[in-house]
């Protein structure tokens, strides 16, 4: 009888430990940040172990570096009519001197920006993945300066 009682107690303790483990797993999941995609962390505004409130304030800035894009800032209203999605061009990134990268116009903004009194439109250009080796992928960072050639040839 005593042995059966000890077995029953051990089984109850095991059930209690399993429940505690399940509770701990849920707590860990609720306290973990997970990115919606693989990428490069650009900025992290919290420390490991720091509690954060469930607000709309970003705590991490994550960039998708699986494909690089360049956005123009100086395509004027007189020039935009001569550019279309699919147009091919060359991009020179200041951080990669002497390297010409091929690109294709993905889209052109419909909404204008006013830049120093000029009406301009943003054209988004996707760089050709084949032109980017491991060195270039490791070197490129969001926000780098690039010059787009061939938009209006």
């Amino acid at each position: 009888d005593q042995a059966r009682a000890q077995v029953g107690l051990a089984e109850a303790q095991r059930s209690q430990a399993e429940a505690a483990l399940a509770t701990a797993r849920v707590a860990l999941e609720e306290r973990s940040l997970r990115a919606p995609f693989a990428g490069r962390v650009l900025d992290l505004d919290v420390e490991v172990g720091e509690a954060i409130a469930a607000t709309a304030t970003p705590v991490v800035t994550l960039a998708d570096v699986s494909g690089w894009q360049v956005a123009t800032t100086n395509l004027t209203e007189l020039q935009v009519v001569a550019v279309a999605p699919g147009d091919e061009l060359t991009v020179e990134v200041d951080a990669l001197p002497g390297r010409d990268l091929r690109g294709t116009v993905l889209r052109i903004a419909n909404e204008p920006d006013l830049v120093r009194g000029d009406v301009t439109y943003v054209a988004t250009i996707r760089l050709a993945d084949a032109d980017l080796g491991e060195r270039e992928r490791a070197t490129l960072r969001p926000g780098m300066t690039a010059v787009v050639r061939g938009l209006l040839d």
Side-chain angles (χ1 to χ4, degrees), residues 17 19 25 27 30 33 37 46 86 114-115 117 140 147:
R25 284 186 174 143
E30 288 176 348
L33 290 177
F37 57 87
V46 293
L114 192 59
V115 177
L140 289 177
V147 176

Side-chain angles (χ1 to χ4, degrees), residues 16 83 99:
Q16 188 177 30
V83 179
R99 288 281 282 125

Side-chain angles (χ1 to χ4, degrees), residues 108-112 121-122:
I108 301 166
N110 289 315
E111 185 174 354
Y121 296 84
V122 174

Side-chain angles (χ1 to χ4, degrees), residues 55-68:
T55 66
T57 304
V59 295
V60 64
T61 303
L62 187 65
D64 178 359
V65 294
S66 63
W68 288 95

Side-chain angles (χ1 to χ4, degrees), residues 38-140:
R40 183 182 295 165
V41 174
L42 301 181
D43 189 33
L44 185 62
D45 291 332
V46 293
E47 298 294 327
V48 174
E50 181 180 343
I52 57 174
T55 66
T57 304
V59 295
V60 64
T61 303
L62 187 65
D64 178 359
V65 294
S66 63
W68 288 95
Q69 295 181 1
V70 172
T72 66
T73 57
N74 61 348
L75 189 61
T76 69
E77 62 186 313
L78 299 176
Q79 298 167 326
V80 72
V81 296
V83 179
D87 287 354
E88 294 187 359
L89 40 82
T90 302
V91 176
E92 299 170 15
V93 179
D94 288 357
L96 302 172
R99 288 281 282 125
D100 289 342
L101 304 172
R102 291 175 296 129
T104 305
V105 176
L106 287 179
R107 64 186 162 275
I108 301 166
N110 289 315
E111 185 174 354
D113 290 324
L114 192 59
V115 177
R116 292 184 299 270
D118 289 330
V119 175
T120 64
Y121 296 84
V122 174
T124 303
I125 296 128
R126 179 168 177 83
L127 298 182
D129 290 337
D131 285 358
L132 297 170
E134 288 303 314
R135 177 183 168 275
E136 286 85 5
R137 287 186 188 282
T139 302
L140 289 177

